[in-house]
């Protein structure tokens, strides 16, 4: 019996499913929520840009190196990657399918360990986080054996 994990995610929400074989369907294992990713960038920053003395009579403001929303997406991707790594370490799955829209899919893939990346057999560049389990199964039937 081969176990497949299916991660359906965007930068604010993720669901992890398990499929244990033909005719078994998808079983919800866990849900992740990251409300900070839904906040406005101005709400994520506690202070305005700092003052930097300029040349001559001018001045400039210091901009953050990373966009606050991008930073939150990376934090969430790291949280998900740790969960996937923990499951891999306990041999809970043999195959992983990632389903996430751009650019979060790229952020997530960059956070995965080499071992988890090796188990990733399919990636789907779509945001299916609002799709129910039955509809999700039909949308992913090309890579999951339900």
């Amino acid at each position: 019996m081969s176990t497949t994990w299916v991660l359906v995610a965007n930068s604010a929400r993720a669901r992890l499913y398990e499929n244990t074989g033909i005719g078994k369907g998808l079983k919800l294992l866990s849900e992740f929520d990251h409300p900070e990713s839904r906040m406005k960038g101005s709400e994520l920053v506690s202070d305005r840009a700092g003052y930097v003395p300029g040349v001559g009579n001018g001045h400039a403001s210091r901009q953050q190196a990373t966009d606050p929303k991008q930073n939150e997406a990376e934090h969430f991707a790291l949280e998900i990657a740790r969960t996937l790594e923990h499951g891999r370490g306990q041999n809970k799955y043999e195959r992983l399918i990632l389903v996430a829209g751009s650019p979060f899919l790229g952020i997530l893939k960059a956070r995965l360990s080499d071992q988890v990346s090796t188990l990733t057999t399919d990636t789907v560049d779509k945001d299916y986080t609002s799709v129910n389990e039955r509809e999700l199964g039909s949308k992913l039937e090309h890579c999951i054996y339900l």
Side-chain angles (χ1 to χ4, degrees), residues 101-125:
S102 295
F104 190 67
L105 180 59
I107 295 169
L108 181 59
K109 287 172 69 175
R111 296 284 179 238
L112 298 179
S113 68
D114 290 341
Q115 294 85 358
V116 172
S117 293
T118 301
L119 296 177
T120 305
T121 59
D122 295 280
T123 57
V124 179
D125 188 357

Side-chain angles (χ1 to χ4, degrees), residues 27-88:
K27 174 186 168 192
L28 182 65
L29 293 178
S30 60
E31 292 187 71
F32 306 87
D33 191 38
H34 193 72
E36 294 85 355
S37 292
R38 287 189 285 276
M39 296 172 76
K40 293 180 181 177
S42 60
E43 295 172 331
L44 295 171
V45 180
S46 63
D47 207 358
R48 65 185 181 106
Y51 171 79
V52 178
V55 178
N57 292 332
H59 67 296
S61 64
R62 178 171 164 77
Q63 297 297 320
Q64 290 186 323
T66 306
D67 175 50
K69 290 192 70 72
Q70 171 80 14
N71 192 36
E72 288 303 326
E74 290 181 16
H75 283 288
F76 190 44
L78 185 58
E79 177 186 343
I80 293 168
R82 286 180 180 150
T83 299
L84 296 174
E85 179 60 34
H86 185 261
R88 184 209 59 83

